Amino acid sequence: MSILKKNNGPMSKGPSIQSISGDHWSELKFTDGIMTDAIMKHVMGLCYLGMADAGEAFEVVSRLNDKETDSWENTWADLASKLKTRAQNSEKNEKKISASTAYLRASTYYRMATMYMEDVHSPKMEEYTRHSFDCYEKSLALSGYPGKYVEIPYEGTYLPGHFYQSPYAKRDKAPLLVLTPGRDTWAVDTRWMFDAALKRGIHCLTYDGPGQGYALRFQNLKFRPDWEKVMGPVLDYAETMDCVDMDHVACMGFSFGGFLMPRVAAFDKRIKLIITDPGNISWGKGIGERLAMIQKMPSRMRPKFMSVMLEDYAWKHGVPEEAVVDELKKYDNTKILDKVECEVLVLDGTAEMTFGAAKELYDALVNAKNKDYILFDDDSTAQCHTQMGGYATGAETIMDWLEDHI
């Protein structure tokens, strides 16, 4: 790991999962698809938190069949169903600990099934989401983990989330870390950060905003570029909590959520600091260019994952596939970066998909009260996108910085 360290850029294409050779682990490919390989790295990173198990994850990899329609969601859902049944049997026999851990992993695997579905409008999308929700809540209740489900008032409806109250808070009112997930992961997937924060006496509020997790799948809320109108109600809700010190509020976003953080800091001055993981000035530009190339390919010639990706973007943004590229042009923070005046931590990694974009953001934050840039290099083992697969190292590094600044 290094700070402002010169590097050689993104990794080249590496070996397959069948090989243990290669310069760094980030070169390993669990699947042939960009999206599914990233999800697998994410799942492997959750193992140390008990949200997944390595043997179970590798079993899924071994059973995937690209020639079989719906192989991805069926394989994950089958595993989740088996674990849910096991958890129910343990609960029935008053084995609460075993039940809680099995429910937790089942919840994860149901979510994985929804992250790459060939038909996003399939009834299975809501079915798996409901199972994931129920299993997670069962795990919380049985384990005694200090979290509770909350519904944050938002434009006549609500944003689903969780408030986690730190049992290690040193005073009546403690700092708050608000966590915003990315385009594909869910708020509950940020456990690697909120668990680390709780242990350091920091309360956490997580939520699924429009286009994300439960909010998308249960309420059909779509992404919007003016995210300050999403974060505003979240912070309003935080103000109602007697245990939260609103003078010490940090907001962190992951992947697409990381791109959104400068926007919310520019318009809401209640935020003391933001962490953008990774940094990016114009999310729409890079992604839009890739999707434009996909659109130019005849649909019959596209690799399956490309068609699934295009449909997924259209669904989450609430536009037809042909309008996705123009919609993404709205996701550009160039004109508002001079309004960011709080403290900022910009994260980057040598195996990031948009390597170099974070440093451009760091340089553009000319009015930030204080700013730092941390590069996760190859030796850190947390060099992948949002530290996937290296969440332990990522959490330790980020929290060391946060404790000094919040």
Side-chain angles (χ1 to χ4, degrees):
M1 195 148 36
S2 60
I3 298 180
L4 292 176
K5 178 179 179 181
K6 186 177 180 181
N7 56 78
N8 296 319
M11 297 294 96
S12 59
K13 185 176 181 181
S16 69
I17 190 64
Q18 286 78 23
S19 170
I20 58 172
S21 63
D23 293 334
H24 303 286
W25 88 271
S26 56
E27 297 176 63
L28 296 174
K29 301 299 178 186
F30 292 91
T31 70
D32 292 333
I34 295 174
M35 179 65 183
T36 51
D37 178 65
I39 293 174
M40 288 307 307
K41 288 183 171 69
H42 165 64
V43 172
M44 296 307 298
L46 296 176
C47 287
Y48 87 102
L49 294 160
M51 297 182 74
D53 191 59
E56 293 166 350
F58 283 132
E59 186 67 16
V60 169
V61 173
S62 70
R63 294 188 181 188
L64 291 177
N65 183 352
D66 285 340
K67 296 181 181 179
E68 178 185 328
T69 302
D70 301 333
S71 174
W72 175 269
E73 59 260 37
N74 289 341
T75 306
W76 280 113
D78 287 346
L79 173 59
S81 179
K82 291 177 182 177
L83 279 172
K84 181 181 179 181
T85 298
R86 187 193 308 170
Q88 289 171 332
N89 289 334
S90 294
E91 184 181 9
K92 186 184 305 181
N93 293 316
E94 298 186 356
K95 308 297 183 185
K96 292 185 178 180
I97 296 176
S98 294
S100 69
T101 56
Y103 274 129
L104 182 59
R105 300 201 309 284
S107 175
T108 297
Y109 301 151
Y110 276 124
R111 288 197 304 283
M112 298 309 111
T114 73
M115 286 189 189
Y116 184 79
M117 294 184 71
E118 293 185 39
D119 179 10
V120 297
H121 304 292
S122 166
K124 290 183 179 179
M125 180 67 78
E126 184 171 348
E127 175 189 342
Y128 297 157
T129 301
R130 174 55 59 185
H131 287 323
S132 180
F133 177 88
D134 291 343
C135 287
Y136 189 76
E137 294 309 308
K138 277 281 191 179
S139 177
L140 282 182
L142 291 169
S143 67
Y145 196 85
K148 66 175 182 178
Y149 173 70
V150 299
E151 294 183 349
I152 301 168
Y154 168 76
E155 297 191 352
T157 180
Y158 66 91
L159 301 177
H162 285 85
F163 178 64
Y164 302 93
Q165 186 168 351
S166 173
Y168 303 100
K170 298 179 180 179
R171 51 186 185 272
D172 292 339
K173 289 182 177 288
L176 177 71
L177 175 62
V178 179
L179 298 173
T180 302
R183 202 192 73 88
D184 303 301
T185 55
W186 304 27
V188 292
D189 288 308
T190 64
R191 191 170 184 140
W192 63 281
M193 275 306 300
F194 67 72
D195 187 75
L198 295 179
K199 292 174 180 175
R200 292 162 173 83
I202 300 171
H203 303 317
C204 288
L205 179 60
T206 69
Y207 70 99
D208 288 314
Q212 299 171 321
Y214 299 133
L216 171 71
R217 292 163 176 84
F218 283 156
Q219 299 157 265
N220 202 34
L221 298 179
K222 307 297 186 179
F223 276 124
R224 58 188 297 175
D226 52 348
W227 206 258
E228 69 276 11
K229 294 182 180 178
V230 177
M231 184 62 76
V234 173
L235 295 181
D236 291 345
Y237 184 81
E239 287 183 330
T240 68
M241 300 180 184
D242 293 337
C243 61
V244 169
D245 183 351
M246 289 300 296
D247 291 330
H248 297 274
V249 174
C251 294
M252 179 176 182
F254 307 85
S255 192
F256 182 71
F259 158 77
L260 296 168
M261 290 304 97
R263 174 89 191 193
V264 301
F267 292 100
D268 200 318
K269 301 307 177 180
R270 289 175 290 183
I271 301 170
K272 185 179 189 297
L273 64 88
I274 60 170
I275 302 173
T276 173
D277 185 13
N280 193 311
I281 294 176
S282 179
W283 177 274
K285 183 176 185 296
I287 299 298
E289 289 173 352
R290 294 188 184 97
L291 294 177
M293 293 176 62
I294 292 174
Q295 287 179 326
K296 291 177 181 178
M297 298 174 62
S299 58
R300 66 182 182 278
M301 296 178 63
R302 294 176 194 157
K304 182 175 68 174
F305 80 87
M306 290 186 178
S307 295
V308 174
M309 183 185 302
L310 187 59
E311 182 186 20
D312 191 71
Y313 268 90
W315 173 50
K316 291 176 179 176
H317 285 272
V319 297
E321 289 187 14
E322 58 270 19
V324 166
V325 174
D326 285 337
E327 178 66 19
L328 287 174
K329 291 177 182 178
K330 301 175 183 177
Y331 294 82
D332 187 329
N333 285 333
T334 303
K335 295 181 179 179
I336 56 90
L337 292 180
D338 62 333
K339 296 181 173 64
V340 177
E341 300 171 334
C342 64
E343 295 187 64
V344 183
L345 174 61
V346 177
L347 301 175
D348 202 356
T350 50
E352 270 291 352
M353 294 180 289
T354 54
F355 181 78
K359 186 56 170 59
E360 291 178 359
L361 172 65
Y362 173 82
D363 292 337
L365 294 168
V366 295
N367 292 325
K369 180 179 180 181
N370 173 68
K371 61 179 181 177
D372 286 311
Y373 169 90
I374 294 179
L375 171 68
F376 289 93
D377 61 22
D378 300 328
D379 291 334
S380 73
T381 71
Q383 69 268 38
C384 289
H385 181 57
T386 64
Q387 299 83 58
M388 288 186 301
Y391 288 146
T393 290
E396 291 159 1
T397 304
I398 296 165
M399 291 309 305
D400 284 353
W401 184 92
L402 182 62
E403 283 186 287
D404 289 340
H405 292 82
I406 199 169

